[in-house]
Amino acid sequence: MNAFVTALQLSVAAAFVSIPVVRARFGATATAAARAELDRQGVRTTVLEENGMRFDAGGHETWAPVAIASAVGATAALGLAGVAWAGTASWIVLGLVLAINLVILYSNLTATSSVRAAFARKGDPELARIDVAALLKAAESGFPRWVWVLQNARHVVVFGAAALALITPALG
């Protein structure tokens, strides 16, 4: 049972690590495509960096998924080591992972409106005139098509494996 739950936890950790790996590999291409779209729109291409918008593996796009994967990996190690409170730690960590993944899924689904709203809050007229949907579509074109499949598979793995890792001990 511990090995099965550990395997589930490690699959959740791997799913989170896939985010910075993909962004590290293809983020520069996505950024270049986004900059080209801004240039096409007549907007200064530095506006992304000036406003903290990234498509690469920098910043929170790396430290957050790596921290989550590390926390999940640590609870898996505690379970394998037979630490008495490993189950409680797993419940806490995996519960948080499920909540965090819901936020990630929501942000993926509402990216255009969220970016538009964030740009509006800045009060910069140049940001307000950006066609955000075109900008995000251009950035997305910098990633291979299979990344969309990976992104959705990642959600399935995180939600499914985390939920199964939480309920399996109760069934045993």
Side-chain angles (χ1 to χ4, degrees):
M1 177 95 60
N2 274 352
F4 179 66
V5 171
T6 299
L8 292 169
Q9 291 171 316
L10 293 178
S11 68
V12 170
F16 270 93
V17 170
S18 72
I19 298 168
V21 168
V22 167
R23 284 180 170 264
R25 172 65 179 91
F26 302 105
T29 305
T31 300
R35 285 184 183 139
E37 175 58 25
L38 289 173
D39 189 47
R40 187 193 69 74
Q41 292 182 30
V43 176
R44 68 184 185 278
T45 59
T46 57
V47 75
L48 297 177
E49 292 82 15
E50 293 165 8
N51 289 281
M53 188 172 187
R54 305 180 70 133
F55 300 104
D56 63 9
H60 78 279
E61 294 293 347
T62 294
W63 69 256
V66 168
I68 291 166
S70 297
V72 174
T75 61
L78 291 171
L80 274 182
V83 174
W85 47 272
T88 302
S90 287
W91 267 93
I92 293 167
V93 170
L94 290 175
L96 288 171
V97 163
L98 288 170
I100 290 166
N101 207 60
L102 279 171
V103 170
I104 293 169
L105 180 59
Y106 178 79
S107 75
N108 289 346
L109 295 173
T110 62
T112 300
S113 61
S114 297
V115 171
R116 209 177 272 132
F119 282 178
R121 283 191 302 274
K122 297 279 185 174
D124 181 341
E126 190 162 21
L127 286 176
R129 66 185 184 88
I130 293 174
D131 179 346
V132 173
L135 171 66
L136 294 178
K137 185 174 181 170
E140 188 177 296
S141 74
F143 294 99
R145 289 187 187 268
W146 58 261
V147 170
W148 183 85
V149 174
L150 175 67
Q151 175 182 324
N152 290 304
R154 193 194 73 70
H155 287 303
V156 169
V157 167
V158 170
F159 286 127
L164 195 53
L166 288 171
I167 64 170
T168 296
L171 300 174

